[in-house]
Amino acid sequence: MTTNRPKTFSGVKPSGGLHLGNYLGAIKRWVDDQDRYDNVFCIVDLHAITVPQESAALRQQTREVAAFYLAAGLDPSRTTVFVQSHVSAHAELGWILNCVTPMGWLERMTQFKDKAAKEGDNRERISAGLFDYPILMAADILLYDANFVPVGDDQKQHVELTRDIAERVNRLHGGGRDILVVPQPLIADTGARIMGLADPTRKMSKSEDMPGQAIGIFDDPGDIRRAIMRATTDSDRTIAFDPNRPGVNNLLTIYQVLSGRSRDALEGQFAGKGYGDLKKEVATAVLDTLVPIQERCKALLAGPDLDEILRDGADRARQVANRTLDRVATAMGLR
Ligand code: TRP
């Protein structure tokens, strides 16, 4: 499957629970853009184990995320969907890149600093893998010669690190040739940042310990509707896109991404209406999208197709990944 289309690679961790923010900010766009690129999408279980995981839950969530990708519309005949640990080249290139990347570059990663701070900066409680996480992510991306990496803006720094690593490998080991493609982040302007419903000043996140903050992809439809109807707004009355009114802004953003309509059109639609009307419309739009996806997911999780698709995806991924690994290993004297 070689075309002239630009290549994309992206990944999602099978932990933390997929939520509406992941869907609207990332997965929906990958689905919509499927024909513009050659796509590789990966469930990054090796990244998940940088923090402790319960094995049965990890196995289950890995299948759930894969099922969700497919149910949401990723088409395995056009997009390679696979599980990271099924392709050993990720760990191998990860090791090699470890040896090329200065510690100082990793020490600047804000996501690591944030995660470490949550553990009281106690080095006995943080795995070396958590620190090393961005290098494995660089290996993921570089193995597939990705031109673009569609991610949320929280991952931009990691893609920039990936660029730096690729350039360093090319400079130190390319012998005047580029052995790795230097990728670019692809950050959506809308939907990249869906905020929480209870506290709209914080990103929607399942790890946030706040009821109603996130809409889980597999949540019960009744719970989803209730969470939206209870979303925090403000005491203003008008319905308008306004970053200073994060609650209303967020509800409108969700609706905008789901409806594909312009901001002006939406502000027109809700002129003179109340927050209750807006919430009802948003809830209906969310459920109209999620419920059919949930049903397709259930069918995939129960049947044999899913594992077959993942096996086939890993076979295809392995061929590309091993070629890149060989290129780098050869350049470094490992072959
Ligand atoms: N670090 C990403 C996240 O937390 C997941 C990820 C791993 C990823 N490898 C990747 C994203 C490669 C894009 C490309 O969301």
Side-chain angles (χ1 to χ4, degrees), residues 6-12 30 38-42 44 47 82 84 87 89-91 93-94 97 109 133-152 155-167 179-187 317 320-322 324-325 327-328:
K7 296 182 170 63
T8 67
F9 181 96
S10 199
V12 166
W30 303 345
D38 274 347
N39 309 285
V40 180
F41 293 117
C42 182
V44 293
H47 278 104
F82 74 105
Q84 186 185 33
V87 178
H90 290 250
L93 184 63
L97 298 181
M109 294 295 111
Y133 180 113
I135 304 235
L136 181 61
M137 176 162 164
D140 297 342
I141 297 167
L142 297 174
L143 280 172
Y144 300 92
D145 293 338
N147 304 100
F148 296 108
V149 186
V151 280
Q155 295 300 315
K156 196 167 168 221
Q157 193 185 33
H158 290 162
V159 181
E160 277 157 7
L161 177 81
T162 304
R163 293 171 58 83
D164 291 341
I165 293 173
E167 281 166 0
I179 36 186
L180 291 173
V181 172
V182 181
Q184 283 176 44
L186 201 64
I187 315 259
V320 180
N322 283 343
T324 311
L325 177 64
R327 219 157 64 217
V328 177

Side-chain angles (χ1 to χ4, degrees), residues 7-77:
K7 296 182 170 63
T8 67
F9 181 96
S10 199
V12 166
K13 265 183 303 197
S15 55
L18 281 178
H19 55 71
L20 187 68
N22 302 127
Y23 174 66
L24 296 179
I27 300 167
K28 181 174 189 300
R29 204 156 49 102
W30 303 345
V31 171
D32 294 345
D33 285 352
Q34 234 170 152
D35 283 324
R36 290 173 53 192
Y37 304 103
D38 274 347
N39 309 285
V40 180
F41 293 117
C42 182
I43 298 109
V44 293
D45 55 348
L46 297 175
H47 278 104
I49 60 168
T50 54
V51 296
Q53 301 290 336
E54 207 270 300
S55 59
L58 179 62
R59 198 173 303 123
Q60 164 79 2
Q61 286 171 0
T62 299
R63 289 187 90 242
E64 279 179 3
V65 172
F68 185 78
Y69 274 42
L70 298 165
L74 286 189
D75 169 5
S77 72

Side-chain angles (χ1 to χ4, degrees), residues 113-127:
K113 288 192 239 177
D114 292 348
K115 286 184 178 175
K118 284 204 182 119
E119 294 297 334
D121 256 321
N122 181 345
R123 292 299 189 259
E124 301 303 316
R125 295 176 54 102
I126 307 162
S127 73

Side-chain angles (χ1 to χ4, degrees), residues 37-308:
Y37 304 103
D38 274 347
N39 309 285
V40 180
F41 293 117
C42 182
I43 298 109
V44 293
D45 55 348
L46 297 175
H47 278 104
I49 60 168
T50 54
V51 296
Q53 301 290 336
E54 207 270 300
S55 59
L58 179 62
R59 198 173 303 123
Q60 164 79 2
Q61 286 171 0
T62 299
R63 289 187 90 242
E64 279 179 3
V65 172
F68 185 78
Y69 274 42
L70 298 165
L74 286 189
D75 169 5
S77 72
R78 289 179 286 162
T79 295
T80 302
V81 180
F82 74 105
V83 178
Q84 186 185 33
S85 67
H86 297 182
V87 178
S88 61
H90 290 250
E92 292 176 63
L93 184 63
W95 175 257
I96 293 174
L97 298 181
N98 262 317
C99 300
V100 176
T101 308
M103 285 273 280
W105 291 8
L106 286 181
E107 278 162 357
R108 287 194 277 276
M109 294 295 111
T110 55
Q111 181 170 302
F112 174 73
K113 288 192 239 177
D114 292 348
K115 286 184 178 175
K118 284 204 182 119
E119 294 297 334
D121 256 321
N122 181 345
R123 292 299 189 259
E124 301 303 316
R125 295 176 54 102
I126 307 162
S127 73
L130 190 66
F131 181 64
D132 201 34
Y133 180 113
I135 304 235
L136 181 61
M137 176 162 164
D140 297 342
I141 297 167
L142 297 174
L143 280 172
Y144 300 92
D145 293 338
N147 304 100
F148 296 108
V149 186
V151 280
D153 57 4
D154 62 318
Q155 295 300 315
K156 196 167 168 221
Q157 193 185 33
H158 290 162
V159 181
E160 277 157 7
L161 177 81
T162 304
R163 293 171 58 83
D164 291 341
I165 293 173
E167 281 166 0
R168 189 171 168 94
V169 169
N170 288 341
R171 186 159 32 80
L172 295 179
H173 301 288
R177 260 178 357 106
D178 281 352
I179 36 186
L180 291 173
V181 172
V182 181
Q184 283 176 44
L186 201 64
I187 315 259
D189 41 348
T190 324
R193 234 180 138 74
I194 299 294
M195 310 305 282
L197 294 175
D199 178 358
T201 63
R202 306 170 71 111
K203 234 178 102 161
M204 185 176 283
S205 161
K206 269 263 159 190
S207 47
E208 210 94 37
D209 191 18
M210 201 185 287
Q213 179 70 343
I215 292 182
I217 288 306
F218 298 107
D219 284 358
D220 173 77
D223 292 343
I224 294 178
R225 188 178 292 280
R226 259 187 303 280
I228 294 172
M229 294 311 291
R230 286 184 193 152
T232 302
T233 45
D234 53 47
S235 54
D236 223 306
R237 293 207 167 190
T238 53
I239 294 178
F241 284 93
D242 178 354
N244 294 319
R245 294 164 55 204
V248 176
N249 201 66
N250 190 41
L251 289 169
L252 279 170
T253 302
I254 293 172
Y255 195 59
Q256 185 192 3
V257 180
L258 285 170
S259 68
R261 298 175 58 206
S262 73
R263 290 172 165 230
D264 284 349
L266 292 185
E267 287 180 351
Q269 176 181 342
F270 289 109
K273 302 240 168 89
Y275 289 161
D277 301 310
L278 171 64
K279 288 175 173 178
K280 264 190 219 140
E281 286 292 325
V282 173
T284 301
V286 169
L287 291 175
D288 282 353
T289 301
L290 277 191
V291 170
I293 295 179
Q294 289 183 340
E295 279 162 9
R296 284 195 292 275
C297 253
K298 272 189 211 130
L300 277 166
L301 287 168
D305 294 355
L306 179 62
D307 295 312
E308 175 114 9

